[in-house]
Amino acid sequence: MSRFWSDAIKRLTPYVPGEQPKEAGITKLNTNENPYPPSPLAAAVIRDFDTDRLRLYSDPDCTALKEAIADHFAVERKHVFVGNGSDEVLAHTFAAFFQQDAPLLMPEFTYSFYPVYCTLYDIAYKQIPLRDEFVLNLEDYNQPNGGIIFANPNAPTSRAIELGEIEALIKRNPDSVIVIDEAYVDFGANSAVALTQRYDNVLVVQTFSKSRSLAGMRVGFAIGHEDLIAGLERVKNSFNSYPLDMLAIASATAAIKDQAYFEESTQKIIETREWTMERLAELGFISLPSKTNFLFARHRLLEAAELMGYLRTKKILVRYFSKPGIDNYLRISIGTQEEMQRLIDTLEQHPDLFKLPLNQND
Ligand SMILES: *Cc1c(COP(=O)(O)O)cnc(C)c1O
């Protein structure tokens, strides 16, 4: 605390990202990064980049990238907004749409950045409990609201919901903006992008960080009605004219055009996820059904915090949230097949595991 901080800054509770370890030899399963490299087309663009161009500012409108995204989703360019990671796109979304008389609704357990933006932008919000086994039921959102946001699939719970339920929610709330954060949608869920073409109150946010292996480039985007996009542009142009650098624009543009590589790498991750879920079950873990590149799992008998610490001593990082309600779960990112084999082998060597009657029911 400093006497120079404004009152608004004193009230903030910043988001805490997962650890990015400096030491070598760590198996990193804690921040849902993609274990495979970006598309070779993106790598080639970076390798061949003419660095003389860096004298100039990047394209403030990111036209080439917006066009590539629009082509990919078969929408018009005016329906596409891009930003410096989807975190920035989300931040602008909160600033543009959610300062209303009624509170913003969000799930009790979801991406923990949402409440942080609410505090930053002074937005009232209400957290809606999930049902048993962390099921998100949109019927629970039938109440006065100044907007609704959730992730689909949800994080850290990994569950996805059906588009029919989302469309019904959009219809029930024609005067609210509904934001669907699809950071993980490419790992087995259905995207709501088509709904953005039929309703003027829905915004879909996606990222290049997870399914396209470009977390380090910081590229995210939103698709929605042109008036929603124009609102986001107003915020963006009141904040930073050049949020994406030239390398980010060029590499993301190349990456989204490489459909074959995208399908191959996401499919590998899905297969490794299902394999890992079965192996974990044999070791006494219960994982929620996942449509993401991570598993949200608890052990029948061992405590999550202890397991996280044990794995840390074996140089394997997983994510643990000490928040009541989810504090006996681990969020385990899906790495390569070899990394997940290492996780399973390490868990098998846990000193308490062999004592446990694992074939009993809960
Ligand atoms: C990773 C993630 C993001 C942020 O992605 P960036 O594009 O890297 O900023 C947003 N929402 C959810 C739910 C995420 O898991």
Side-chain angles (χ1 to χ4, degrees), residues 80-144:
V80 180
F81 178 80
V82 297
N84 191 261
S86 63
D87 284 341
E88 186 184 79
V89 176
L90 288 164
H92 290 347
T93 300
F94 278 66
F97 308 122
F98 292 153
Q99 275 161 338
Q100 306 290 345
D101 296 333
L104 171 69
L105 306 183
M106 66 179 76
E108 179 184 8
F109 299 111
T110 189
Y111 189 37
S112 47
F113 228 133
Y114 306 155
V116 175
Y117 295 133
C118 286
T119 314
L120 178 63
Y121 294 118
D122 205 12
I123 294 164
Y125 66 97
K126 184 171 172 190
Q127 292 174 315
I128 310 293
L130 296 170
R131 302 269 182 110
D132 283 354
E133 297 293 310
F134 302 100
V135 168
L136 173 58
N137 189 324
L138 295 177
E139 300 283 341
D140 299 338
Y141 292 69
N142 292 332
Q143 46 185 295

Side-chain angles (χ1 to χ4, degrees), residues 9 25 35 46 74 108 111 115-117 146 156 193 216 240 277 343-344 356:
I9 295 303
I46 294 169
E108 179 184 8
Y111 189 37
V116 175
Y117 295 133
V193 163
N240 180 1
M277 195 167 161
L343 171 78
I344 297 297
L356 302 174

Side-chain angles (χ1 to χ4, degrees), residues 223-255:
I223 299 179
H225 188 276
E226 60 182 290
D227 294 344
L228 294 181
I229 299 304
L232 291 173
E233 297 287 355
R234 287 172 75 87
V235 179
K236 173 249 174 193
N237 289 320
S238 306
F239 182 80
N240 180 1
S241 306
Y242 310 100
L244 271 73
D245 64 65
M246 286 180 182
L247 284 165
I249 295 171
S251 59
T253 303

Side-chain angles (χ1 to χ4, degrees), residues 163-227:
L163 285 186
E165 294 175 44
I166 295 175
E167 184 164 11
L169 178 83
I170 294 165
K171 282 186 180 161
R172 287 197 300 271
N173 292 275
D175 298 322
S176 297
V177 175
I178 314 284
V179 176
I180 304 155
D181 180 349
E182 294 188 339
Y184 300 105
V185 75
D186 297 324
F187 300 103
N190 293 315
S191 172
V193 163
L195 297 177
T196 66
Q197 303 301 292
R198 298 211 295 278
Y199 300 94
D200 66 358
N201 63 328
V202 54
L203 190 77
V204 168
V205 178
Q206 290 195 11
T207 175
F208 281 75
S209 296
K210 314 280 167 50
S211 57
R212 295 184 201 271
S213 307
L214 284 172
M217 272 295 173
R218 315 301 307 125
V219 184
F221 59 96
I223 299 179
H225 188 276
E226 60 182 290
D227 294 344

